[in-house]
Amino acid sequence: MSEQAAAAAGPAAPSPPPPPVAEALPPIPPSRSVSSFASEAELEADVAMYTGLPLGSENSMVLDNGGSSTPEGAALTAGRRRYLCYFMHRHLEFRLPEVEALADAARRRLASKARRDAAGSGSSCSGSGASNGTAEAAAPSGPAVVWEKPFGNRAESPFWYSHLDSDEVAKDVASKMMLPKVLLEVWGEADSLEGLREQLAAYPQAEKDKWGGPDQSFKFIVEAWGHSYTMREQVALIESMEPCCRFEGPIDLKNPQNRFWLILVRNEVRSLPLLPDRYYFGREVGVADRSPINTYDLRRRRYLGPTSMDTEMAFLMCNMAQVGRGSLVMDPFVGTGSCLVPAAHLGAYTIGTDIDVRVIKLGKKDKAGRPVNVWTNFQDYQLPPPIGLLRCDLHTHPFRDGLEEVLHAIVCDPPYGVRAGGRKSVPKQREIRSREDYIPSTDPYSAAECMHDLLETAARMLTVGGRLVYFLPAAPGFYSEEEVPRHPMLEVVSNCEQHLTSRYTRRLITMQKTKPYDAAEAQAYYEARGPPKLAIDDMHEYIYKTPAQLAAEAGLTVEEYREQQVLRVPRNRGKNI
Amino acid sequence: MLQCHIKGVQNGYPLKVEAEKVETREMDFEPDFLRHIFPRINWPALREAAAAMGVSDLPESASEELLEDDDFLKKFHHALLEVHLEEGSLVCPETGRKFPVSGGIPNLLLQEDEC
């Protein structure tokens, strides 16, 4: 759906002539149950399709809808604030892990800031530091986010509730989030507009006064999900809500101090989940800025390769990796630098390495014949260039012995031989006449070996708590939970599937380093596991086989095979990407 | 931070810098990052490399206390992040093997008889 244009209206404005439009406002369509749009059977099929939808995260804390008012739920959410997290209807498995990663990073950043402030005030002015000390005593514990499922416990719905530590954390999350559109402090939620108006009227006046005083400018935003309203219908909606709020301040459409969202879920689009009608009203605590996706759009980037990472996904990867100001981020398969551009945008220092000299150094010529390379990609956006670009090989890497705990994050899209194959240096007996201009040969690098080297490097080079984020290719029949690479120093945080084609998907794996590197333990682990082998090493063949070949293997005619394939298409395909 | 990784080489660190062309570019100053990276840096190696690239104002030795000194942090920041070797080589102290640096990118790929 397209985002609705904002509209606003307010209390009987003292401005000169009253707008004539007010008399002729169109009627607001009545609420209805979803069954008037879809048949019972359609509805059932839709619910069934999303049943068991993976949430991406390995250990999310998820309560049922309304679960925060049960005794157990109340204990878990005590001291937290509840926000409606309204998501884009995209990348369903990536939604929760992204917010969790951002909230966790925000919490840690605020805690270290509080520590510094406390230390600072303690040494300089010991008298007034007392209040800081008490604030720090209530350090938050438990998971960074306690989730509450959307209405009807429909996990596919984009209206999740998140319980976060504070407004400060929520604002920090909002400054980077890509999948949620907005975080709202909910003032009312109902299944009809009348119900919503009643709730809003009953919302505590003291709370309303905090945000609706005479000196605070405001604006209403109408957001329709699954359908659209004309501008005049939006004005009518706002006028109908306004008497319940009684804000005294001036309306400001450009730069209001407070923004209030009226969200109407009224699905009339069959390709979206068939959710029942629902109405929300809330105060905006933080809104997403998705403009970087446009700023760094690959279509306008001068230097690209066939596997350059899509900008939205690259930002998601950096968010999962908790990249922030002053982080040190490495991409060992840097290619054209597409995973590092968002990291630099977020204020990180970047390092890129690659084995292919053509990619990393020589670059290409753009349409005007000017040379373009990784450096120019950063220059074009006026981003700080990588602090290091190296041509080297992860397999026989040149980082000094004992160099550990340097990187805050490793973000990469390893070569798996599906679209681009990996290469590595190999020992060979060969006569080398001149070392200066000799071009060493490289051998194919299997995905299993590549993963082994990547995890080993991460286990050594990441700081404790630092994150490794990478893609793992998958296909129906080629993915099993056991094949997700493991390492004794790294723990899987999230595993989110992105559908690419009906035969090919990939999973974004986020791992966190849990303890300092121990060479003996890592060695013992690998010995116990045996030589690395992954089914995905054979995936190239499978993905590029023709239907005729696949049908012959299965002993079917092409038509029979195709029919079977339709049934095997990933079930959410088309509905969530 | 790099060492010579040719198989069998015992003492491949630190690589010596032979500079032909050095570029200076401005980077954002981030004291927290410098405090993070400082304990991971071999100070004499950084000092020697910086000197080879024409930055000679780093003190002979450095300790954690200096990290509270803004003037020192600025110098450290400049030497570590702003001075960039464009053309030249990195030389292994044991074997004398030169790893060429061109276009600001060191080529540390090994040849077949080295790995």
Side-chain angles (χ1 to χ4, degrees):
Chain A
M1 330 101 283
S2 67
E3 220 161 306
Q4 295 302 308
S15 51
V21 87
E23 286 116 55
L25 283 175
I28 300 158
S31 314
R32 33 134 242 195
S33 82
V34 73
S35 50
S36 67
F37 153 63
S39 70
E40 250 344 274
E42 262 184 297
L43 201 62
E44 247 169 58
D46 194 70
V47 171
M49 183 172 69
Y50 289 107
T51 305
L53 176 82
L55 299 178
S57 197
E58 292 288 296
N59 31 28
S60 290
M61 172 72 73
V62 181
L63 303 174
D64 277 348
N65 185 255
S68 58
S69 42
T70 64
E72 303 87 45
L76 280 166
T77 56
R80 291 170 185 258
R81 293 183 64 82
R82 181 176 186 250
Y83 304 96
L84 179 70
C85 192
Y86 168 32
F87 288 103
M88 307 281 296
H89 192 63
R90 291 171 67 72
H91 302 308
L92 301 193
E93 291 183 29
F94 292 70
R95 299 178 304 177
L96 271 49
E98 189 203 9
V99 175
E100 284 169 8
L102 290 175
D104 180 55
R107 170 191 271 189
R108 283 197 280 171
R109 201 159 29 243
L110 289 169
S112 77
K113 187 165 160 274
R115 264 199 306 280
R116 259 204 316 278
D117 289 353
S121 66
S123 60
S124 56
C125 48
S126 50
S128 63
S131 59
N132 279 351
T134 49
E136 214 207 333
S141 61
V145 187
V146 175
W147 293 102
E148 195 181 322
K149 281 191 182 167
F151 176 68
N153 290 328
R154 301 276 300 266
E156 68 277 21
S157 157
F159 301 95
W160 281 73
Y161 281 102
S162 59
H163 294 260
L164 303 175
D165 293 342
S166 62
D167 272 9
E168 238 176 329
V169 168
K171 287 202 172 99
D172 207 283
V173 169
S175 67
K176 289 184 185 154
M177 64 194 187
M178 284 290 149
L179 291 178
K181 282 188 184 182
V182 66
L183 297 180
L184 296 178
E185 175 188 83
V186 173
W187 287 17
E189 178 192 337
D191 53 11
S192 69
L193 266 178
E194 297 71 45
L196 186 63
R197 275 196 287 270
E198 274 166 34
Q199 285 199 11
L200 207 49
Y203 193 70
Q205 191 60 38
E207 281 296 312
K208 285 188 204 162
D209 288 346
K210 261 196 240 167
W211 309 102
D215 54 340
Q216 301 197 55
S217 59
F218 71 95
K219 168 186 177 179
F220 278 116
I221 294 166
V222 175
E223 172 83 11
W225 192 85
H227 66 300
S228 62
Y229 287 117
T230 64
M231 199 54 121
R232 291 184 60 210
E233 281 170 326
Q234 292 187 30
V235 172
L237 279 164
I238 291 167
E239 301 247 297
S240 77
M241 297 312 289
E242 199 288 319
C244 313
C245 299
R246 299 197 175 284
F247 293 145
E248 292 164 29
I251 297 162
D252 182 345
L253 296 185
K254 283 223 174 83
N255 276 313
Q257 280 164 287
N258 302 315
R259 277 190 278 230
F260 298 89
W261 289 58
L262 172 63
I263 303 178
L264 305 103
V265 182
R266 250 182 98 81
N267 192 4
E268 287 165 7
V269 183
R270 257 161 229 272
S271 63
L272 290 173
L274 304 176
L275 299 177
D277 283 14
R278 200 77 186 155
Y279 300 83
Y280 300 87
F281 184 90
R283 179 178 66 84
E284 174 186 307
V285 178
V287 67
D289 175 13
R290 283 173 59 90
S291 67
I293 295 176
N294 183 34
T295 311
Y296 301 108
D297 193 337
L298 291 186
R299 282 172 293 186
R300 289 192 300 277
R301 197 173 297 175
R302 288 200 296 154
Y303 179 44
L304 289 175
T307 57
S308 290
M309 185 58 62
D310 153 62
T311 307
E312 183 186 23
M313 191 47 78
F315 268 95
L316 277 174
M317 290 167 79
C318 286
N319 281 347
M320 300 284 198
Q322 302 182 323
V323 172
R325 189 150 293 285
S327 321
L328 184 59
V329 182
M330 181 167 94
D331 179 354
F333 313 102
V334 69
T336 60
S338 52
C339 290
L340 292 182
V341 163
H345 171 86
L346 293 165
Y349 295 103
T350 55
I351 297 178
T353 78
D354 206 304
I355 195 169
D356 194 336
V357 73
R358 289 166 304 174
V359 174
I360 193 166
K361 189 182 127 196
L362 303 177
K364 291 179 182 166
K365 292 252 161 67
D366 70 357
K367 283 183 197 132
R370 287 165 302 183
V372 289
N373 52 37
V374 183
W375 301 118
T376 62
N377 270 352
F378 285 81
Q379 275 160 20
D380 287 351
Y381 297 126
Q382 276 139 27
L383 289 173
I387 59 172
L389 274 183
L390 306 173
R391 182 188 180 202
C392 67
D393 182 355
L394 196 63
H395 190 60
T396 54
H397 68 81
F399 300 107
R400 99 172 128 86
D401 291 340
L403 185 70
E404 284 173 19
E405 314 245 334
V406 186
L407 304 171
H408 296 104
I410 296 179
V411 177
C412 61
D413 184 17
Y416 290 106
V418 177
R419 289 189 296 170
R423 310 288 298 177
K424 66 171 177 181
S425 303
V426 281
K428 272 182 202 156
Q429 284 307 319
R430 207 168 271 177
E431 189 199 352
I432 296 170
R433 264 173 258 121
S434 152
R435 276 212 191 271
E436 267 75 59
D437 51 18
Y438 178 75
I439 300 167
S441 72
T442 50
D443 267 20
Y445 192 22
S446 80
E449 276 179 292
C450 174
M451 293 327 300
H452 172 275
D453 293 338
L454 177 63
L455 266 67
E456 192 58 22
T457 305
R460 263 174 36 132
M461 304 268 288
L462 285 177
T463 54
V464 173
R467 288 187 169 199
L468 164 67
V469 174
Y470 61 93
F471 267 110
L472 194 65
F478 278 84
Y479 170 77
S480 77
E481 192 88 36
E482 291 83 65
E483 282 214 341
V484 175
R486 313 246 159 205
H487 193 283
M489 276 96 223
L490 303 168
E491 171 190 87
V492 178
V493 177
S494 62
N495 175 344
C496 319
E497 187 170 25
Q498 181 194 12
H499 299 281
L500 296 171
T501 73
S502 60
R503 256 198 239 170
Y504 179 30
T505 74
R506 59 181 180 179
R507 287 170 172 274
L508 187 69
I509 313 285
T510 304
M511 299 180 110
Q512 189 155 28
K513 181 161 161 181
T514 50
K515 55 185 177 184
Y517 183 71
D518 179 343
E521 196 184 338
Q523 189 60 34
Y525 174 78
Y526 279 118
E527 269 165 24
R529 238 185 115 106
K533 172 85 189 87
L534 289 176
I536 50 175
D537 274 327
D538 310 320
M539 243 175 74
H540 178 95
E541 250 184 76
Y542 166 73
I543 288 166
Y544 291 104
K545 262 182 200 163
T546 62
Q549 282 173 319
L550 288 166
E553 271 174 34
L556 301 166
T557 67
V558 178
E559 286 73 35
E560 280 168 347
Y561 178 76
R562 277 191 201 283
E563 205 161 293
Q564 208 185 45
Q565 274 302 296
V566 172
L567 300 175
R568 283 182 48 203
V569 166
R571 54 194 185 139
N572 300 332
R573 168 116 185 111
K575 278 226 173 190
N576 67 355
I577 49 173
Chain B
M1 280 203 247
L2 299 172
Q3 72 173 358
C4 176
H5 52 305
I6 297 175
K7 207 169 178 187
V9 168
Q10 299 292 322
N11 198 5
Y13 182 83
L15 293 170
K16 244 177 69 197
V17 175
E18 279 184 9
E20 280 166 31
K21 189 173 154 214
V22 173
E23 259 182 30
T24 307
R25 52 195 186 194
E26 221 168 287
M27 292 286 276
D28 288 346
F29 179 63
E30 199 75 57
D32 281 347
F33 172 74
L34 296 171
R35 288 186 197 111
H36 157 76
I37 204 83
F38 179 79
R40 280 90 175 165
I41 296 275
N42 178 325
W43 189 259
L46 175 71
R47 191 165 174 272
E48 198 186 316
M53 293 192 282
V55 178
S56 49
D57 61 350
L58 292 179
E60 204 157 310
S61 62
S63 61
E64 302 260 342
E65 288 98 73
L66 274 173
L67 292 175
E68 298 306 315
D69 175 8
D70 229 33
D71 193 43
F72 168 77
L73 281 181
K74 290 242 162 73
K75 283 180 188 162
F76 179 34
H77 170 74
H78 179 70
L80 184 71
L81 299 172
E82 298 191 322
V83 183
H84 201 85
L85 181 64
E86 273 297 302
E87 306 287 332
S89 24
L90 302 174
V91 186
C92 167
E94 188 178 306
T95 60
R97 156 82 147 96
K98 283 188 180 183
F99 295 98
V101 179
S102 78
I105 301 169
N107 182 351
L108 293 152
L109 205 60
L110 296 178
Q111 296 172 359
E112 289 98 326
D113 58 349
E114 294 172 331
C115 49

